[in-house]
Amino acid sequence: MNKIYQMNGYQLHLISSKKFKDITISVRFKGRFTRETVTSRSVLGFLMITGTMKHPTQKDLSRTLEDLYGANLSANISSAGKGHIITFKNTCVNQEFLPINENLLIKQVDLLNELVNHPYIVDGHFDEEMTELKKQEITYRIMADMDDKMGYAFDRMVDYMGRGSVLGLRSTGYIEDMENINAYTLVKTYKDMIQNDDKHVYVVGDIDESIISIFKEKLQFPEVKHDPYPSAYIYQNDRKHLLDIIEKQDIVQSKLVMGYKANCCTLSENTAAMSVFSNLLGGYSQSRLFQVVREKNSLCYFIHSSYDPMNGIMTIAAGIDMNNYDKTKELIGKQIKDLQDGHITDEELSMVKTMLINALSKVDDDPDAIISFNWRRDIINSQDSIEDKQNAIKNVTKQDVIKCAQSIELDTIYFLTGKEFYEENLLSNN
């Protein structure tokens, strides 16, 4: 049960579970997702876990974590629809499982307060050497993502599909924007985050309401004076034609990514049906795309579809031989048309619903999954529990799935392929 309390400048979420011997605290800042701020926020998030005013170096922080019986501290950067998220997470053993009488939770909250409210800023700037190090690390991370050809192809498709909107942005930022970021500009980014971001704190473990007083005393933020930043939305654009992009690289296995307007999002009544449709189409090993495109016709090495309920889109991704480009696209279209025409058996519908329901049943087995589920629910002001989500899936009918299949619109096709295919198509189009 997620119990929510309005604290000074943030919402505190207490999720009690006796399954875990640790107490996990996740502090989440949600700001606007813009090209102008995303890279700076990304650097800031990873920089802040390198030192505080009380613990100015990573060595000092490591020593403090060791004193907390090997506690873990981490940062993460992500996005949720129109929101850009900076997350700080601390996991510490529950003192109830230790032979000593020491309030570790107070020390855990103290450390997080130091981290987010008293970062290592001296003379108006962060540590310059550490700032450059984190810029370099994130640059290497972005470059590594580009070397992952499937991830690269997916990012490129979304970039083309969502150009000029938040859909086309990368949550980790952009290499070309690094030169404008330094230890001084990041102070402005930090102050903007503290003053204007929506803030949520999640606590998962064997806890009760008695810990509220600790957070009330130890962790406070400035009150945000604006409405919460929007999150989920239904992606639309004004473009009237299908984008079909072919990019050449020196690769063996070509990557095909197709982007569809789902015309619904997690705020929509038919979001459960869209999830069922996407998984029925290509979400698991018994799905249409896997069975027909891969197994029966041997046109791809892998293939799957995915529904993004925060951005309101659906994607299909496949690894194929470059000579199977047209055949694969054609067969994918036929599978969607087949579902649009209502060719769905009771058995396959039941199977995919059971799979989704079982996946939701496992959420309570992992603190990170619990926090993620509740976070995505809370930022859209939903009250739905896991059971509510499961019941929504149970109630999806064949007709609901058909309507979802009929509502999607193919918007962008991106094909990352080798030199031979690219040149042959270039010649044939001239």
Side-chain angles (χ1 to χ4, degrees), residues 67-263:
D67 291 341
L68 290 174
Y69 298 89
N72 292 317
L73 179 65
S74 62
N76 185 54
I77 305 299
S78 60
S79 61
K82 293 184 177 181
H84 187 259
I85 321 302
I86 300 175
T87 300
F88 302 106
K89 187 183 76 169
N90 181 230
T91 302
C92 184
V93 65
N94 191 326
Q95 66 187 38
E96 298 299 324
F97 296 97
L98 295 175
I100 54 140
N101 185 18
E102 182 178 0
N103 199 326
L104 293 180
L105 181 62
I106 290 178
K107 293 184 177 182
Q108 191 177 3
V109 179
D110 271 336
L111 177 60
L112 284 168
N113 180 59
E114 277 287 322
L115 187 77
V116 296
N117 280 321
H118 305 284
Y120 188 58
I121 299 174
V122 178
D123 296 332
H125 63 86
F126 283 95
D127 182 273
E128 294 186 73
E129 182 178 351
M130 191 57 69
T131 297
E132 292 306 311
L133 178 62
K134 290 302 167 184
K135 287 171 58 178
Q136 188 177 67
E137 287 179 0
I138 295 171
T139 296
Y140 289 153
R141 180 178 300 192
I142 295 171
M143 292 170 64
D145 289 342
M146 293 172 66
D147 289 336
D148 171 13
K149 297 308 177 184
M150 190 66 250
Y152 171 83
F154 185 89
D155 287 345
R156 291 291 283 163
M157 188 285 294
V158 173
D159 176 44
Y160 278 108
M161 182 175 179
R163 187 131 321 164
S165 72
V166 294
L167 179 64
L169 297 176
R170 293 197 299 267
S171 61
T172 50
Y174 299 84
I175 294 174
E176 57 266 33
D177 294 343
M178 290 292 179
E179 61 181 334
N180 297 320
I181 297 170
N182 58 53
Y184 290 86
T185 62
L186 286 173
V187 174
K188 180 180 178 182
T189 304
Y190 165 73
K191 289 180 178 179
D192 181 72
M193 180 191 80
I194 287 293
Q195 291 289 337
N196 297 314
D197 276 24
D198 305 324
K199 305 168 190 74
H200 295 255
V201 177
Y202 291 84
V203 189
V204 177
D206 189 3
I207 54 173
D208 56 40
E209 294 180 350
S210 65
I211 71 171
I212 295 175
S213 59
I214 296 175
F215 284 88
K216 188 173 183 179
E217 177 186 354
K218 299 286 184 179
L219 186 63
Q220 301 175 11
F221 294 114
E223 293 290 342
V224 176
K225 298 179 181 180
H226 59 77
D227 293 333
Y229 293 127
S231 298
Y233 68 105
I234 299 175
Y235 172 75
Q236 295 292 333
N237 61 43
D238 297 328
R239 185 165 24 85
K240 302 300 182 183
H241 61 278
L242 172 71
L243 276 182
D244 197 344
I245 303 106
I246 297 173
E247 181 176 338
K248 175 190 66 173
Q249 284 194 17
D250 185 15
I251 57 175
V252 176
Q253 186 187 114
S254 298
K255 314 298 180 184
L256 172 64
V257 188
M258 306 170 74
Y260 297 78
K261 296 176 185 176
N263 291 308

Side-chain angles (χ1 to χ4, degrees), residues 13-28:
H13 306 255
L14 301 185
I15 306 170
S16 180
S17 174
K18 295 186 178 296
K19 290 184 177 182
F20 314 115
K21 293 184 178 181
D22 293 334
I23 293 179
T24 299
I25 304 177
S26 177
V27 183
R28 300 196 168 205

Side-chain angles (χ1 to χ4, degrees), residues 22-79:
D22 293 334
I23 293 179
T24 299
I25 304 177
S26 177
V27 183
R28 300 196 168 205
F29 295 84
K30 180 167 73 74
R32 282 199 178 95
F33 195 8
T34 70
R35 173 62 192 260
E36 292 73 25
T37 61
V38 61
T39 309
S40 183
R41 285 174 61 90
S42 182
V43 175
L44 174 68
F46 291 110
L47 178 63
M48 285 178 63
I49 62 168
T50 64
T52 70
M53 293 303 293
K54 188 176 180 180
H55 314 286
T57 68
Q58 285 186 304
K59 187 175 181 180
D60 294 328
L61 272 177
S62 296
R63 189 179 298 116
T64 299
L65 292 171
E66 288 175 8
D67 291 341
L68 290 174
Y69 298 89
N72 292 317
L73 179 65
S74 62
N76 185 54
I77 305 299
S78 60
S79 61

